[in-house]
């Protein structure tokens, strides 16, 4: 190879290095956004599964508790235990469902209970002790009192359906990739029958 050929080869190699640097500067931010987006969706999925686990645990405990005066307190404790890593629980609604696949009544999701239909709780209610919950001054469980729930097999309708609706806020680490969002989950179970 001649001296001129060597110089030409060096120039071409330098030019290709410059092109590679420009390509890397364009691609790297897009690749990082993709990777962080996948991670963020993983966190959102984890929070969604945790919330589903909490509402399922609450409904299971509520179904077994039936007409126990502390049924709603037990539901709140089950939700608290199952959603321990999810720190942004905003609301828990215990409601009377119309069927096994009943949805939470829209009137119950605004933070106040509806007489004969639902009891609405917030995150602070999960930390209320048993004694305070039983006291006469604590009235959040009066709208659909556990004593008014039917667990009888002798009626035509049978035992009531109890639903637990939980709402939480998923706080995104990268709001550019995935915005923070509200997640909810509902589980309905029939109360354990008695004679």
């Amino acid at each position: 190879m001649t001296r001129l050929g060597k110089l030409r080869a060096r120039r071409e190699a330098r030019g290709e290095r410059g092109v590679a640097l420009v390509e890397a500067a364009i691609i790297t931010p897009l690749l990082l956004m993709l990777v962080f987006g996948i991670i963020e969706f993983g966190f959102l999925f984890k929070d969604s599964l945790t919330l589903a686990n909490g509402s399922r645990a609450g409904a299971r405990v509520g179904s077994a508790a039936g007409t126990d005066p502390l049924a709603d307190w037990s539901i709140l404790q089950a939700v608290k235990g199952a959603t321990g890593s999810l720190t942004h629980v905003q609301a828990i609604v215990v409601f009377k469902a119309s069927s096994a696949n009943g949805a939470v009544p829209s009137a119950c999701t605004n933070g106040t209970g509806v007489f004969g239909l639902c009891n609405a709780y917030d995150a602070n209610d999960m930390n209320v002790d048993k004694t305070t919950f039983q006291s006469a001054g604590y009235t959040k469980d009066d709208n659909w009192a556990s004593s008014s729930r039917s667990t009888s097999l002798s009626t035509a309708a049978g035992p009531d359906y109890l639903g637990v609706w939980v709402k939480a806020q998923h706080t995104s680490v990268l709001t550019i990739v995935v915005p923070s969002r509200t997640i909810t989950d509902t589980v309905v179970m029939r109360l354990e029958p008695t004679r």
Side-chain angles (χ1 to χ4, degrees):
M1 186 180 270
T2 66
R3 186 172 174 187
L4 186 61
K6 289 180 184 178
L7 285 173
R8 196 174 289 149
R10 282 187 195 152
R11 282 188 197 136
E12 287 176 8
R14 270 193 243 131
E16 287 179 17
R17 277 187 269 164
V19 169
L21 188 61
V22 170
E23 288 174 352
I26 292 171
I27 296 297
T28 302
L30 296 174
L31 186 62
L32 287 174
M33 276 185 62
L34 178 67
V35 168
F36 286 126
I38 291 169
I39 292 169
E40 188 60 47
F41 273 111
F43 284 135
L44 176 63
F45 187 63
K46 177 196 74 79
D47 286 351
S48 180
L49 287 176
T50 301
L51 194 70
N53 190 36
S55 59
R56 192 175 318 111
R60 196 173 339 157
V61 166
S63 171
T67 59
D68 181 351
L70 287 171
D72 282 10
W73 182 81
S74 299
I75 291 169
L76 292 173
Q77 296 312 303
V79 170
K80 179 182 178 181
T83 60
S85 66
L86 189 62
T87 58
H88 303 293
V89 172
Q90 296 175 327
I92 302 104
V93 175
V94 178
F95 64 96
K96 181 178 184 176
S98 57
S99 65
N101 56 358
V104 62
S106 60
C108 297
T109 60
N110 65 1
T112 58
V114 176
F115 185 75
L117 192 57
C118 64
N119 297 327
Y121 302 98
D122 59 30
N124 296 326
D125 294 317
M126 291 192 295
N127 298 319
V128 171
D129 61 279
K130 190 186 291 189
T131 307
T132 304
F133 198 88
Q134 285 180 308
S135 70
Y138 193 84
T139 58
K140 285 192 172 185
D141 64 334
D142 288 350
N143 290 309
W144 188 41
S146 57
S147 60
S148 69
R149 298 172 189 166
S150 173
T151 58
S152 176
L153 285 172
S154 60
T155 63
D160 285 336
Y161 287 99
L162 176 132
V164 176
W165 177 81
V166 184
K167 176 174 116 175
Q169 181 70 29
H170 167 75
T171 305
S172 180
V173 177
L174 295 172
T175 55
I176 295 171
V177 179
V178 180
S180 294
R181 63 181 60 197
T182 300
I183 51 177
T184 62
D185 192 70
T186 306
V187 174
V188 176
M189 291 187 179
R190 192 159 221 166
L191 294 176
E192 291 291 327
T194 59
R195 298 212 174 257

